[in-house]
């Protein structure tokens, strides 16, 4: 099964037959009726009662998940044995999705790696003799090999590096299963932008803050912060030929006639003196087949004060989640 990894949600799920409404996937859809280890939870079970968006159908517990892009998955809450080919873990709680709609890139399902009780990372912590969530991943930069490259997702003690840059993460019980980072500032070309630190803090009512999310493509900032960043970036690139906005990107350039271009550096500053010097490929995104038009891969959001560190900015870093010490490491190049 090819699964999307998502640090912004908990419950893992697979497309399951019979399908009420399933999107196309290249692999055979999982058939629970052919599995001797598959078990659906009853409506009165403790596991079902602990689920937020639950339902009941013929005494079987059902779930429903929705994502910010409008994608949904719903079906039966069950347990099953999960294997990576060399080892297996039994009684993993997951969703057997009979109705799945949205853009999941043809994957068979989704692995939830959030911070909550039903997170796959938390469920396998005990079998791996970990005291808390411990895993690391690296989202590899697209290669010339058909745009595909590979890396590893590691669970257990070996996932946490003995050295590297770490920053403490926060838990926001008001919102959900997210890892909140304490972003303290952004620099462009070595100069710290005039953005109040409070812009990125979690407020008393639970709003705001900065989430680490593999399920979001582009880093989102509150509009007030994004406008400051965009304007400084534009001022430092006024010598580059501009291009029309593309989708959510409003700062684009036509680099087709240039052999080289001077692009200002972008640096993200986090608590505990952790600084990320982003490679230019992590914030200048090619948006056409000819690799001529490039856009600043950040966006503003007018309807939310939450900032999101998206997967483009995470590419090329080994990111390690150390739940025991409540910290996250970013290590460049260990993919």
């Amino acid at each position: 099964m090819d699964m999307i990894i998502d640090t912004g949600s908990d419950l893992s799920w697979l497309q399951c037959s019979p399908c009420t409404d399933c999107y196309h996937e290249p692999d055979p859809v999982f058939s629970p009726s052919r599995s001797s280890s598959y078990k659906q939870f009853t409506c009165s079970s403790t596991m079902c009662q602990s689920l937020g968006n639950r339902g009941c159908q013929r005494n079987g517990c059902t779930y429903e998940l929705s994502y910010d892009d409008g994608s949904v998955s719903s079906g039966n809450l069950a347990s099953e044995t999960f294997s990576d080919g060399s080892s297996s873990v039994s009684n993993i709680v997951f969703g057997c999705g009979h109705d799945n709609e949205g853009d999941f890139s043809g994957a068979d399902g989704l692995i939830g790696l959030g911070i909550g009780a039903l997170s796959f990372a938390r469920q396998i912590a005990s079998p791996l003799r970990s005291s808390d969530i411990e895993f690391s991943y690296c989202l590899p930069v697209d290669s010339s090999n058909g745009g595909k490259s590979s890396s590893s997702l590691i669970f257990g003690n070996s996932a946490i590096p003995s050295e590297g840059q770490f920053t403490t993460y926060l838990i926001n019980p008001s919102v959900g299963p997210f890892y909140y980072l304490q972003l303290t500032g952004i620099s462009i070309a070595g100069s710290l932008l005039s953005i109040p630190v409070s812009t990125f803090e979690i407020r008393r009512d639970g709003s705001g803050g900065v989430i680490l999310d593999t399920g979001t493509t582009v880093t989102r900032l509150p509009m007030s912060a994004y406008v400051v960043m965009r304007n400084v970036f534009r001022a430092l690139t006024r010598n580059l030929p501009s291009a029309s906005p593309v989708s959510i990107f409003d700062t684009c350039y036509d680099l087709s006639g240039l052999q080289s271009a001077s692009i200002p550096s972008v640096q993200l500053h986090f608590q505990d003196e952790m600084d990320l010097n982003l490679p230019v490929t992590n914030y200048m995104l090619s948006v056409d087949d000819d690799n001529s038009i490039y856009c600043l891969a950040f966006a503003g959001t007018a309807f939310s004060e939450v900032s999101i560190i998206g997967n483009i900015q995470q590419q090329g870093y080994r990111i390690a989640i150390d739940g025991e010490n409540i910290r996250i490491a970013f290590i460049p190049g260990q993919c």
Side-chain angles (χ1 to χ4, degrees):
M1 301 290 182
D2 292 325
M3 309 287 282
I4 294 171
I5 64 170
D6 185 13
T7 58
S9 64
D10 278 345
L11 185 65
S12 303
W13 57 268
L14 283 169
Q15 291 208 115
C16 289
S17 64
C19 279
T20 302
D21 189 358
C22 290
Y23 57 84
H24 173 73
E25 65 174 70
D27 298 320
V29 175
F30 176 68
S31 176
S33 63
R34 299 177 61 188
S35 171
S36 60
S37 50
Y38 173 89
K39 298 175 184 176
Q40 184 180 0
F41 289 98
T42 63
C43 299
S44 59
S45 65
T46 302
M47 188 60 66
C48 185
Q49 294 301 312
S50 67
L51 193 66
N53 228 357
R54 66 179 182 273
C56 188
Q57 190 173 28
R58 292 191 288 273
N59 199 34
C61 186
T62 61
Y63 77 94
E64 183 173 346
L65 297 173
S66 60
Y67 301 92
D68 287 345
D69 65 354
S71 301
V72 295
S73 174
S74 63
N76 299 327
L77 186 70
S79 67
E80 180 59 285
T81 298
F82 278 55
S83 172
D84 66 357
S86 60
S87 59
S88 61
V89 181
S90 59
N91 299 317
I92 295 292
V93 180
F94 80 113
C96 200
H98 299 286
D99 188 344
N100 314 289
E101 303 170 39
D103 181 14
F104 296 105
S105 302
D108 303 312
L110 180 146
I111 290 284
L113 298 176
I115 207 166
L118 292 181
S119 166
F120 182 79
R122 189 173 295 283
Q123 289 191 68
I124 67 169
S126 180
L128 293 176
R129 295 184 173 86
S130 297
S131 58
D132 208 314
I133 288 176
E134 291 180 318
F135 71 93
S136 73
Y137 62 91
C138 182
L139 305 178
V141 179
D142 284 348
S143 70
S144 58
N145 181 26
K148 296 181 179 180
S149 50
S150 63
S151 184
S152 58
L153 172 63
I154 304 171
F155 294 98
N157 296 330
S158 61
I160 309 303
S162 57
E163 56 186 33
Q165 290 192 88
F166 283 90
T167 183
T168 304
Y169 69 80
L170 299 175
I171 300 169
N172 184 355
S174 302
V175 177
F178 304 116
Y179 302 96
Y180 279 83
L181 301 179
Q182 299 175 84
L183 183 65
T184 58
I186 300 173
S187 291
I188 294 183
S191 296
L192 187 66
L193 301 179
S194 298
I195 302 173
V197 176
S198 59
T199 304
F200 304 118
E201 292 177 343
I202 300 174
R203 296 165 177 74
R204 289 185 178 180
D205 62 359
S207 63
V210 181
I211 294 168
L212 180 72
D213 185 14
T214 58
T216 298
T217 304
V218 175
T219 289
R220 304 295 186 105
L221 301 174
M223 190 59 73
S224 60
Y226 173 69
V227 167
V228 172
M229 180 185 186
R230 177 197 65 191
N231 289 349
V232 171
F233 193 87
R234 284 179 176 177
L236 293 172
T237 55
R238 63 168 60 96
N239 61 316
L240 297 177
S242 62
S244 300
V246 178
S247 185
I248 62 172
F249 304 123
D250 63 4
T251 302
C252 301
Y253 305 88
D254 183 353
L255 305 182
S256 58
L258 303 180
Q259 291 185 337
S260 64
S262 178
I263 307 296
S265 62
V266 174
Q267 190 175 47
L268 304 181
H269 307 287
F270 295 94
Q271 191 188 35
D272 305 315
E273 298 183 350
M274 189 186 82
D275 300 321
L276 292 187
N277 301 302
L278 295 178
V280 68
T281 52
N282 285 38
Y283 60 92
M284 287 294 285
L285 182 67
S286 173
V287 294
D288 66 339
D289 295 335
D290 299 328
N291 291 327
S292 298
I293 308 300
Y294 287 79
C295 298
L296 178 64
F298 284 77
T301 172
F303 306 105
S304 173
E305 292 302 311
V306 175
S307 300
I308 303 173
I309 306 298
N311 60 47
I312 289 178
Q313 282 65 42
Q314 296 178 45
Q315 287 180 6
Y317 288 93
R318 169 66 56 180
I319 299 176
I321 314 291
D322 180 1
E324 182 176 1
N325 296 296
I326 317 177
R327 60 182 188 165
I328 294 177
F330 286 74
I331 305 157
Q334 292 192 12
C335 293

